[in-house]
């Protein structure tokens, strides 16, 4: 091999080596830049996920807070009014004491049914005459909501169930007094029961005649009371209108009483002085005689 060929081959080897080194350096640089850029991308992805999770947590917290606020505003205080009946079935008011519209302290929300003891004892007829009597079962509106069972009670016998199933029963007076019972039924449950006594015509007349005539006495007492009240009111009005004259009259009367009391006191003093003067004279005479003797 000639020296010129050896020099060319060595030059080619050097150039190939420099090219390989340059390729390796460029490859390492690209890998380093890729490795430097990848953590930033990962951090950006993680930041987006954290932001989404935080927004979801905030929305859940807001929804919970809204639910709490709604719960606090919904809380209301309720009271129940008195039942309209002491037995059987009646109605009562449901009163709201907090959260009323217009800033009112209390307001009626609704009216609901209320119940008391079943046995209502003895009732009074709705209306009666010498020939017939009208009896009424215990009920509330609507009347057709309940079922009514009327019975004719007999002593020492089974009661007779009447065919009438309405709330009102009209009975004609018989020769003997009779007792009726009405049961109010709701959902196959007796919620009220009341009894009535239907007297005969003669018994009713006797009761009316034996009853004291209190109406006339009551009217008389009320009339007298009204007249006295009107008289007192007129006297008060007269005193208020003529207050000056009344005051002067009472002042003159008071002054005359004072003068009379003073005169009586002076007369009493004069009388006592006259009573005491005769007793004093003998004492003076005794003193004079003792001085004379000396």
């Amino acid at each position: 091999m000639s020296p010129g060929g050896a020099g060319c081959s060595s030059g080619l080897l050097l150039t190939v080596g420099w090219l390989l080194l340059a390729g390796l350096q460029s490859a390492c640089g690209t890998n380093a830049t890729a490795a430097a850029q990848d953590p930033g991308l990962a951090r950006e992805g993680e930041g987006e996920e954290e932001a989404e999770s935080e927004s979801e947590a905030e929305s859940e917290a807001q929804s919970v807070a809204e639910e709490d606020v709604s719960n606090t505003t919904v809380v209301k205080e309720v009271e129940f009014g008195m039942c309209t009946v002491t037995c059987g079935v009646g109605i009562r008011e449901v009163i709201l004491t907090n959260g009323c519209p217009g800033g009112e302290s209390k307001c009626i929300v609704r009216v609901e049914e209320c119940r008391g003891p079943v046995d209502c004892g003895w009732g009074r007829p709705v209306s009666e005459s010498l020939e017939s009597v009208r009896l009424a079962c215990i009920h509330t509106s609507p009347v057709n909501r309940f079922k009514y069972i009327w019975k004719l009670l007999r002593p020492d016998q089974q009661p007779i169930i009447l065919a009438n199933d309405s709330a009102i029963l009209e009975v004609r007076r018989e020769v003997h007094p009779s007792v009726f019972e009405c049961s109010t039924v709701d959902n196959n449950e007796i919620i009220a029961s009341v009894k009535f006594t239907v007297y005969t015509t003669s018994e009713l007349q006797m009761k009316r005649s034996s009853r004291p005539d209190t109406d006339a006495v009551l009217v008389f007492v009320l009339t007298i009371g009204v007249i006295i009240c009107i008289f007192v009111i007129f006297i008060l009005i007269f005193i208020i209108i003529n207050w000056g004259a009344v005051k002067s009259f009472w002042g003159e009367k008071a002054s005359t009483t004072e003068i009379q009391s003073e005169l009586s006191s002076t007369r009493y003093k004069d009388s006592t002085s006259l009573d005491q003067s005769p007793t004093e004279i003998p004492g003076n005479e005794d003193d004079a005689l003792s001085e004379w003797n000396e």
Side-chain angles (χ1 to χ4, degrees):
M1 185 178 289
S2 61
C8 290
S9 62
S10 62
L12 289 170
L13 290 171
L14 288 171
T15 55
V16 169
W18 283 109
L19 290 172
L20 290 171
L21 290 172
L24 290 170
Q25 288 178 356
S26 63
C28 290
T30 55
N31 291 328
T33 54
Q37 290 177 358
D38 289 338
L41 294 172
R43 288 178 183 175
E44 288 178 1
E46 290 176 358
E48 291 176 357
E49 291 177 357
E50 289 177 359
E52 290 177 358
S53 63
E54 287 178 358
S55 64
E56 290 177 358
E58 288 177 358
S59 63
E60 289 178 358
Q62 289 179 357
S63 63
V64 170
E66 289 176 356
E67 288 178 359
D68 292 337
V69 171
S70 63
N71 290 330
T72 54
T73 54
V74 168
V75 172
K76 297 179 180 180
E77 296 179 359
V78 178
E79 289 183 357
F80 297 96
M82 295 293 293
C83 192
T84 56
V85 296
T86 57
C87 65
V89 59
I91 57 174
R92 66 179 178 184
E93 296 175 348
V94 180
I95 303 169
L96 189 66
T97 59
N98 188 11
C100 292
E104 296 181 358
S105 60
K106 290 184 179 182
C107 55
I108 299 173
V109 180
R110 65 181 183 275
V111 177
E112 66 180 12
E113 183 181 291
C114 60
R115 295 184 181 181
V118 176
D119 190 5
C120 292
W122 297 89
R124 293 183 178 180
V126 177
S127 63
E128 60 180 348
S129 63
L130 294 175
E131 291 80 16
S132 62
V133 181
R134 293 189 68 193
L135 310 176
C137 254
I138 295 173
H139 63 276
T140 58
S141 58
V143 181
N144 57 1
R145 173 190 165 189
F146 304 103
K147 182 180 178 182
Y148 307 99
I149 301 173
W150 288 94
K151 299 178 183 178
L152 175 61
L153 303 181
R154 299 179 297 175
D156 301 329
Q157 292 182 6
Q158 292 293 328
I160 299 174
I161 299 175
L162 304 180
N164 185 17
D165 59 352
S166 62
I168 304 296
L169 176 66
E170 187 170 357
V171 181
R172 297 189 64 84
R173 297 187 186 274
E174 302 292 339
V175 179
H176 301 284
S178 53
V179 178
F180 293 88
E181 181 182 10
C182 179
S183 300
T184 305
V185 181
D186 184 21
N187 294 326
N188 296 325
E189 179 185 0
I190 298 176
I191 60 174
S193 177
V194 63
K195 298 176 183 178
F196 302 94
T197 301
V198 179
Y199 296 98
T200 61
T201 305
S202 60
E203 288 176 344
L204 182 63
Q205 289 176 348
M206 289 177 63
K207 287 181 65 177
R208 288 181 177 180
S209 61
S210 62
R211 185 180 301 171
D213 192 7
T214 58
D215 295 336
V217 176
L218 182 61
V219 170
F220 176 75
V221 171
L222 290 175
T223 305
I224 296 299
V226 170
I227 291 170
I228 292 171
C229 291
I230 293 171
F231 181 71
V232 171
I233 290 169
F234 273 110
I235 289 173
L236 293 174
I237 292 170
F238 177 78
I239 290 171
I240 292 169
I241 292 172
N242 302 304
W243 176 246
V246 172
K247 190 175 181 181
S248 62
F249 173 75
W250 283 108
E252 291 176 357
K253 190 173 182 181
S255 62
T256 53
T257 53
E258 288 178 358
I259 292 168
Q260 289 177 359
S261 63
E262 289 177 357
L263 290 173
S264 62
S265 63
T266 52
R267 287 175 183 174
Y268 178 74
K269 288 179 180 179
D270 293 339
S271 63
T272 54
S273 63
L274 290 172
D275 293 336
Q276 290 177 359
S277 59
T279 58
E280 291 176 355
I281 291 169
N284 293 329
E285 290 178 354
D286 293 336
D287 294 335
L289 290 172
S290 62
E291 290 176 358
W292 177 261
N293 292 324
E294 291 177 358

